[in-house]
């Protein structure tokens, strides 16, 4: 009987040590903010009754459901209006490791197509942002239906006021027939979300 109690005690110690190991020594996850462009009364680009705000929500949800490796935060979780200042306040309080602002584009010229990355040179982290933009665009180009345009700089409010590496990603043009198809197609959205998610996981 004594032996059984002794064995039980040993196993308890092993179990509790195991738990301690998984909590205290687990690597700290990096914090990533996904900024969902537009929302609520701000529809963003709208073509054939398809709104930019909804497309970015669909893709953000897919990233959330596939990624457990990084700590994800979102500037909005539903179809609601959030001012640019409130977004920046939320981000700067959180001090994340990366901010990824997701949008889709529109243009009068329906031949314009492809994804575009933007960074702001006014941001102190612009060098890191450029590095991440280049890596993520390489990752996204593996989805061979996405054309990646050259990296651009722009003083967008979110980018220049965020105190963290930050990039804005226009995933394609709703005004271009081919881009419209992949931006609104569930399987293509999955591929885009998976690429972004896989890239974020490697940032650990
Ligand atoms: Zn937008």
């Amino acid at each position: 009987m004594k032996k059984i109690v002794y064995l039980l005690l040993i196993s308890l110690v092993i179990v509790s040590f195991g738990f301690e190991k998984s909590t205290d020594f687990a690597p700290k996850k990096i914090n990533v903010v996904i900024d969902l462009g537009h929302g609520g009364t701000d529809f963003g680009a709208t073509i054939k009754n398809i709104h930019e705000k909804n497309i970015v929500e669909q893709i953000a949800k897919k990233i959330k459901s596939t990624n457990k490796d990084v700590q994800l935060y979102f500037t909005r979780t539903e179809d609601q209006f959030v001012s640019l200042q409130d977004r920046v306040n939320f981000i700067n309080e959180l001090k994340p490791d990366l901010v990824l602002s997701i949008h889709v584009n529109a243009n009068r010229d329906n031949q314009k197509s492809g994804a575009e990355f933007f960074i702001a040179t006014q941001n102190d982290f612009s060098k890191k942002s450029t590095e991440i933009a280049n890596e993520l665009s390489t990752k996204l180009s593996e989805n061979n239906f996405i054309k990646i345009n050259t990296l651009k700089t722009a003083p967008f409010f979110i980018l220049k006021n965020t105190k963290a590496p930050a990039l804005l990603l226009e995933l394609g043009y709703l005004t271009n027939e081919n881009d419209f198809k992949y931006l609104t197609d569930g399987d293509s959205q999955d591929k885009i979300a998976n690429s972004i998610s896989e890239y974020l996981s490697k940032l650990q």
Side-chain angles (χ1 to χ4, degrees):
M1 189 64 192
K2 259 189 177 175
K3 201 175 175 188
I4 291 173
V5 172
Y6 182 68
L7 279 174
L8 260 175
L9 271 175
I10 286 187
S11 55
L12 267 176
V13 168
I14 291 171
V15 166
S16 57
F17 190 72
F19 276 124
E20 193 181 309
K21 201 174 176 188
S22 66
T23 51
D24 289 2
F25 301 107
K28 200 177 159 289
K29 288 181 175 182
I30 65 159
N31 295 324
V32 176
V33 172
I34 306 282
D35 173 46
L36 290 81
H38 314 278
T41 51
D42 174 8
F43 287 67
T46 295
I47 302 294
K48 296 183 211 162
N49 263 334
I50 299 287
H51 310 303
E52 176 181 0
K53 63 173 186 174
N54 298 128
I55 294 180
V56 298
E57 270 165 45
Q58 286 155 1
I59 290 171
K61 273 183 195 152
K62 287 170 192 278
I63 296 172
K64 189 182 182 186
S65 67
T66 53
N67 196 299
K68 306 280 175 264
D69 298 325
V70 299
Q71 191 64 53
L72 289 170
Y73 297 88
F74 300 87
T75 50
R76 63 181 175 92
T77 48
E78 52 191 87
D79 185 10
Q80 72 209 99
F81 178 80
V82 184
S83 74
L84 293 177
Q85 187 63 60
D86 283 347
R87 290 167 194 250
V88 165
N89 293 346
F90 168 74
I91 291 165
N92 288 341
E93 242 168 70
L94 192 68
K95 299 185 177 70
D97 299 285
L98 173 65
V99 177
L100 187 57
S101 184
I102 298 180
H103 291 253
V104 296
N105 230 331
N107 198 281
R108 277 186 197 167
D109 177 1
N110 64 12
Q111 294 307 302
K112 276 205 165 193
S113 67
E116 264 155 23
F117 284 79
F118 292 88
I119 60 131
T121 49
Q122 296 85 348
N123 180 311
D124 289 343
F125 300 83
S126 63
K127 201 173 158 224
K128 185 72 184 166
S129 305
T130 305
E131 194 184 305
I132 292 171
N134 286 331
E135 288 170 3
L136 182 56
S137 63
T138 304
K139 179 76 192 166
L140 268 177
S141 66
E142 289 168 13
N143 288 323
N144 54 22
F145 54 85
I146 298 189
K147 181 179 105 186
I148 308 281
N149 295 307
T150 44
L151 178 65
K152 293 188 169 116
T153 60
F156 292 143
F157 191 87
I158 290 269
L159 296 182
K160 70 174 183 183
N161 292 298
T162 286
K163 294 182 177 68
L167 36 138
L168 187 142
L169 173 52
E170 298 275 3
L171 285 165
Y173 285 82
L174 275 180
T175 39
N176 177 269
E177 205 184 326
N178 186 47
D179 286 12
F180 182 90
K181 273 186 205 149
Y182 80 69
L183 290 170
T184 53
D185 175 70
D187 289 343
S188 305
Q189 288 181 350
D190 282 343
K191 285 184 193 164
I192 294 168
N194 286 341
S195 296
I196 294 173
S197 179
E198 278 172 26
Y199 175 72
L200 294 178
S201 295
K202 285 195 187 125
L203 285 176
Q204 293 303 311

